[in-house]
């Protein structure tokens, strides 16, 4: 047992030494840097922001989660275009038509008849979200009929599928072979790149190709698998390969515009926001002698024929839902192009840098000038919430998304590091005095300096905290700085507002080094006393504020209870201050 007790004592001694060393090291670093640490930290983060804006683009594009949350919970949501109607090949349609036409895909004659009847109602456009990549070898007549129906229309659109660029060398299709697409630079047709093949799946039907109403229906999710953007066109060796939304939107525009390559989708709501009709219901009504549906149901409409059936695997995760029908994503993109109301993102390199650095340096200035910590936390939190509220307001009232996610992240990073440093420094300065005394080696001499501040105007906590921080900046030796409010209840109310500064140093009077430390501590206190008037002014104290102080030295015995000795030293210092005041008066 004695050995175990000795081991525990040795372990505790080592831990105390380590804690003492860390406290002293942090205090020394703080005294050297003063508040310049906050400027150095802001300079370091400035370099990181500039590197990120020019090379990494992490913070610049850090919009995803915040965007999803805001767009999903908008109060003011744009209405879906009433002229867009989705004819849904859903599970009910697959089940209703399986008896006569079998499993999907149905014979093309079914779609030919459907298109022929729809065209009789004079729709604005008919858009197939179905890729007809191969012939129906078992029903060639059905294919021929469908091709003839297509040829008789001038407003029918068909999708192409752009395959991965890695497969381009396996393709024999070059951009100039695709009907209806143009070069980015019209006078650049002789470029050797015009013959570069691209991997793409075109519609099988000749009439669809000849219509030149083609567009890709590729949907590209972000890295996290969520669809937020739509690619309106591809640059294929200098050729513009349009998407289906771009082709349809330009065919029937409401607000024509020159679209960007990628748009941030302005969602109209959760899935099934647009008008949906069931394919089998419409098809059955077309074949019925007694019509139950309006004869002009699709007049002047953009009719999109696609599927929401889970068994056909055209469901995507979006900002609005985990399973969003691909056909409705297509409809939303067409809606955005028609009305030119896709979400414009206010980001880019320059805004990102300016907002980030503004937030960082304003926070740094507040820490550097010793703004009250509680007030700083409140102001900082409020500013970040205000930016998020501004972004949320903009996405509700306009078609602009203010992407402050990256700048806010940098500001929170700065604030967190600065806050930890400030709290750790305060903690170290509070513990170093007790550690010095209780260590038994780095002695127990105490220099007490109570500073009483008086004014006709009551001091706020903020004023006293600011003065305390100013005093800390002036000190060259390890010390603790605390303030006591005269407005507190009980016996503390008998005191005036005061700041108490305490120095602890070794108690070995025989050594020359100890005399040097004592001299330095006394010099530190003397210099502080000479600077108190200017410190009051720089701390924002009232003009009539006066200050009086006294320096009192005492000794603590490490073998006796510390609390009573500290109370005694404090009382002696206050009494000494009162006696000195009476002598002067």
């Amino acid at each position: 047992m004695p050995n175990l007790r000795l081991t525990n004592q040795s372990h505790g001694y080592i831990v105390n030494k380590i804690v003492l060393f860390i406290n002293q090291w942090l205090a020394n670093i703080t005294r050297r840097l003063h508040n310049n640490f906050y400027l150095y930290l802001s300079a370091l983060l400035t370099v990181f922001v500039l590197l990120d804006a020019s090379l990494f683009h992490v913070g610049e594009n850090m919009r995803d989660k915040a965007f999803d949350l805001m767009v999903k919970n908008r109060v003011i949501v744009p209405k879906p275009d009433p002229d867009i109607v989705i004819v849904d090949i859903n599970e009910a349609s697959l089940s209703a038509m399986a008896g006569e036409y079998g499993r999907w895909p149905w014979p093309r004659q079914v779609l030919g008849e459907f298109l022929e009847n729809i065209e009789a109602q004079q729709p604005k456009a008919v858009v197939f979200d179905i890729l007809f990549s191969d012939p129906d070898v078992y029903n060639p007549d059905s294919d021929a009929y469908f091709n003839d129906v297509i040829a008789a229309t001038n407003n029918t659109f068909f999708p192409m599928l752009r395959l991965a660029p890695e497969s381009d060398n396996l393709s024999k299709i070059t951009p100039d072979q695709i009907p209806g697409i143009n070069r980015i630079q019209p006078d650049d047709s002789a470029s050797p790149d015009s013959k570069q093949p691209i991997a793409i799946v075109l519609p099988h039907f000749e009439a669809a190709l000849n219509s030149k109403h083609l567009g890709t229906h590729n949907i590209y999710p972000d890295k996290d698998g969520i669809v937020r953007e739509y690619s309106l066109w591809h640059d294929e060796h200098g050729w513009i390969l349009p998407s289906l939304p771009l082709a349809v939107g330009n065919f029937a525009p409401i607000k024509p515009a020159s679209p960007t390559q990628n748009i941030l989708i302005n969602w109209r709501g959760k899935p099934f926001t647009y008008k949906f009709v069931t394919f089998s219901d419409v098809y059955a009504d077309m074949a019925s002698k007694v019509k139950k549906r309006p004869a002009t149901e699709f007049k002047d409409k953009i009719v999109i024929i696609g599927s929401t059936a889970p068994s056909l695997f055209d469901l995507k995760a979006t900002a609005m839902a985990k399973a969003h029908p691909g056909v409705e994503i297509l409809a939303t993109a067409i809606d955005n192009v028609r009305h030119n109301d896709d979400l414009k993102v206010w980001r880019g390199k320059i805004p990102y840098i300016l907002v980030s650095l503004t937030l960082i340096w304003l926070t740094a200035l507040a820490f550097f000038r010793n703004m009250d910590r509680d007030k700083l936390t409140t102001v900082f939190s409020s500013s970040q919430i205000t930016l998020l509220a501004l972004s949320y307001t903009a996405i509700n009232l306009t078609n602009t998304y203010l992407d402050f996610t990256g700048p806010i992240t940098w500001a929170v990073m700065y604030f967190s590091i600065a806050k930890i440093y400030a709290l750790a420094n305060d903690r170290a300065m509070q513990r170093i005095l007790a550690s010095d005394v209780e260590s038994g080696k780095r002695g127990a001499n105490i220099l007490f300096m109570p500073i009483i501040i008086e004014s006709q105007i009551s001091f706020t906590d903020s004023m006293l905290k600011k003065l305390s921080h100013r005093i800390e900046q002036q000190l060259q030796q390890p010390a603790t700085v605390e303030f006591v409010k005269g407005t507190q209840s009980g016996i503390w109310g008998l005191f005036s507002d005061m700041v108490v500064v305490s120095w602890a140093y070794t108690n070995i009077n025989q050594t020359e080094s100890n005399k040097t430390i004592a001299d330095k501590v006394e010099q530190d206190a003397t210099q502080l006393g000479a600077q108190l008037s200017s410190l009051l002014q720089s701390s924002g104290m009232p003009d009539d504020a006066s200050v009086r102080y006294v320096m009192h030295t005492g000794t603590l015995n490490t073998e006796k209870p510390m609390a009573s000795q500290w109370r005694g030293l404090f009382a002696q210092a206050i009494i000494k201050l009162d006696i000195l005041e009476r002598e002067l008066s």
Side-chain angles (χ1 to χ4, degrees):
M1 286 297 292
N3 291 335
L4 179 59
R5 186 178 296 112
L6 181 61
T7 302
N8 291 336
Q9 290 176 350
S10 300
H11 177 72
Y13 175 76
I14 293 173
V15 171
N16 289 335
K17 292 293 289 183
I18 293 174
V19 171
L20 176 61
F21 173 78
I22 293 175
N23 288 336
Q24 291 173 344
W25 175 81
L26 182 57
N28 289 333
I29 290 296
T30 304
R31 284 194 299 273
R32 291 175 184 175
L33 294 179
H34 295 295
N35 278 14
N36 291 334
F37 169 83
Y38 302 115
L39 300 182
Y40 297 150
L41 178 61
S42 59
L44 179 63
L45 289 191
T46 296
V47 173
F48 288 164
V49 169
L50 295 177
L51 285 175
D52 182 62
S54 58
L55 297 176
F56 305 113
H57 309 290
V58 176
E60 186 181 346
N61 296 313
M62 198 186 296
R63 60 138 209 262
D64 295 346
K65 298 303 180 183
F67 170 77
D68 292 351
L69 182 64
M70 289 185 185
V71 78
K72 191 173 183 177
N73 295 281
R74 282 190 292 185
V75 176
I76 303 174
V77 183
K79 301 296 183 183
D81 190 334
D83 291 337
I84 295 179
V85 180
I86 297 174
V87 178
D88 186 9
I89 303 174
N90 52 18
E91 291 292 351
S93 295
L94 296 177
S95 177
M97 301 185 69
E100 185 174 356
Y101 299 106
R103 298 176 59 187
W104 180 266
W106 303 319
R108 270 62 180 277
Q109 180 179 348
V110 174
L111 298 173
E113 292 172 353
F114 191 88
L115 176 59
E116 195 170 29
N117 281 277
I118 289 289
E119 285 290 343
Q121 296 187 27
Q122 298 179 341
K124 192 167 294 182
V126 179
V127 184
F128 281 95
D129 190 26
I130 303 169
L131 184 63
F132 300 102
S133 57
D134 300 298
D136 186 347
V137 294
Y138 299 105
N139 296 284
D141 292 340
S142 177
D143 273 10
Y145 171 70
F146 189 29
N147 188 75
D148 291 341
V149 173
I150 296 170
T153 69
N154 60 1
N155 62 346
T156 310
F157 292 80
F158 293 88
M160 306 178 286
L161 179 63
R162 178 63 167 104
L163 302 177
E166 292 78 10
S167 302
D168 284 352
N169 60 335
L170 303 177
S171 175
K172 296 181 180 179
I173 301 175
T174 58
D176 60 332
Q177 294 175 337
I178 302 175
I181 75 170
N182 301 302
R183 291 198 64 84
I184 296 176
Q185 300 293 337
D187 58 347
D188 198 23
S189 57
S191 171
D193 286 343
S194 63
K195 296 299 181 181
Q196 289 288 329
I198 61 173
I200 191 168
V201 179
L202 300 175
H204 162 68
F205 296 101
E206 182 180 356
L209 294 173
N210 292 337
S211 70
K212 299 182 179 180
H213 290 163
L214 305 177
T216 60
H217 69 159
N218 296 69
I219 296 176
Y220 300 102
D222 291 338
K223 292 181 180 180
D224 59 357
I226 306 297
V227 176
R228 299 180 181 91
E229 296 186 349
Y230 205 102
S231 182
L232 291 185
W233 53 274
H234 301 74
D235 183 352
E236 302 293 352
H237 310 298
W239 291 83
I240 297 177
L241 186 65
S243 67
L244 206 52
L246 181 60
V248 177
N250 286 342
F251 180 80
I254 292 178
K255 294 181 179 179
S258 299
T260 57
Q261 188 168 5
N262 296 305
I263 62 170
L264 188 59
I265 299 175
N266 191 358
W267 302 100
R268 284 5 186 185
K270 295 181 179 180
F272 300 98
T273 299
Y274 286 87
K275 180 180 179 181
F276 277 78
V277 296
T278 301
F279 183 95
S280 58
D281 291 346
V282 178
Y283 187 76
D285 190 75
M286 289 175 176
S288 175
K289 292 182 179 179
V290 180
K291 308 293 184 184
K292 296 182 179 180
R293 305 183 73 90
T296 58
E297 182 177 6
F298 302 107
K299 182 175 175 58
D300 295 326
K301 304 293 185 183
I302 295 177
V303 182
I304 305 175
I305 304 171
S307 175
T308 64
S311 60
L312 297 185
F313 307 107
D314 191 21
L315 299 174
K316 311 289 183 183
T318 68
M320 303 303 298
K322 293 181 179 179
H324 209 129
V327 65
E328 192 165 18
I329 298 175
L330 172 66
T332 307
I334 292 173
D335 200 348
N336 286 183
V337 174
R338 288 195 74 206
H339 294 84
N340 188 29
D341 66 351
D342 57 286
L343 289 174
K344 309 300 188 293
V345 187
W346 189 77
R347 50 181 182 182
K349 183 181 298 185
I350 300 302
Y352 167 66
I353 293 175
L354 290 178
V355 177
S356 297
L357 296 188
T358 299
L359 293 178
I360 289 173
W361 282 95
L362 285 177
T363 308
L365 183 62
F367 273 102
F368 181 77
R369 300 188 64 179
N370 291 311
M371 182 177 178
D372 177 69
R373 302 276 174 77
D374 295 335
K375 185 177 180 181
L376 175 56
T377 300
T378 301
V379 171
F380 179 82
S381 302
S382 300
S383 66
Q384 309 311 300
I385 294 173
T386 299
L387 288 177
L388 292 175
L390 180 61
S391 181
Y392 182 69
T393 301
I395 205 172
N396 275 276
L397 300 180
T398 70
N399 295 324
T400 301
Y401 172 57
L402 301 177
D403 184 14
F404 294 130
T405 312
I408 288 177
T409 301
W410 285 114
V412 170
M413 184 185 302
Y414 179 91
F415 181 83
S416 300
I417 297 173
K419 186 77 170 180
I420 291 172
Y421 172 83
L423 293 176
N425 176 58
D426 290 346
R427 181 65 174 168
M429 294 304 293
Q430 290 170 3
R431 294 184 62 181
I432 194 170
L433 184 60
S435 298
D436 285 348
V437 172
E438 294 173 3
S439 66
K441 289 191 174 181
R442 207 174 163 221
N445 275 352
I446 303 296
L447 176 58
F448 240 94
M449 186 175 181
I451 304 168
I452 295 181
I453 312 119
E454 296 176 330
S455 171
Q456 296 296 325
I457 302 175
S458 298
F459 301 121
T460 64
D461 285 355
S462 177
M463 291 179 180
L464 292 175
K465 285 182 180 179
K466 190 172 184 179
L467 177 60
S468 299
H469 287 305
R470 295 283 186 186
I471 291 174
E472 287 177 356
Q473 292 179 12
Q474 302 300 319
L475 300 178
Q476 302 299 318
Q477 301 300 316
T480 59
V481 181
E482 299 174 286
F483 69 88
V484 179
K485 283 283 291 178
T487 56
Q488 298 181 74
S489 60
I491 192 172
W492 292 108
L494 301 175
F495 292 92
S496 300
D497 293 328
M498 71 172 67
V499 177
V500 181
V501 187
S502 308
W503 290 264
Y505 54 97
T506 53
N507 190 26
I508 309 173
N509 296 323
Q510 292 80 3
T511 63
E512 185 67 30
S513 60
N514 181 66
K515 293 180 181 179
T516 303
I517 294 174
D519 291 341
K520 288 182 178 180
V521 168
E522 186 174 352
Q523 183 181 6
D524 205 18
T526 302
Q527 291 177 349
L528 174 61
Q531 296 169 343
L532 282 176
S533 296
S534 60
L535 290 176
L536 288 179
Q537 295 178 357
S538 62
S539 301
M541 292 290 184
D543 294 336
D544 68 335
S546 61
V547 61
R548 51 194 177 95
Y549 67 93
V550 71
M551 293 184 291
H552 176 69
T553 303
T555 302
L556 296 181
N557 188 337
T558 57
E559 297 179 354
K560 296 181 179 180
M562 286 292 161
S564 60
Q565 296 184 74
W566 278 109
R567 289 193 295 268
L569 281 176
F570 180 75
Q572 292 169 16
I574 296 300
I575 293 172
K576 185 177 181 179
L577 180 60
D578 285 342
I579 293 174
L580 181 62
E581 182 72 16
R582 285 197 297 269
E583 290 177 352
L584 292 176
S585 61

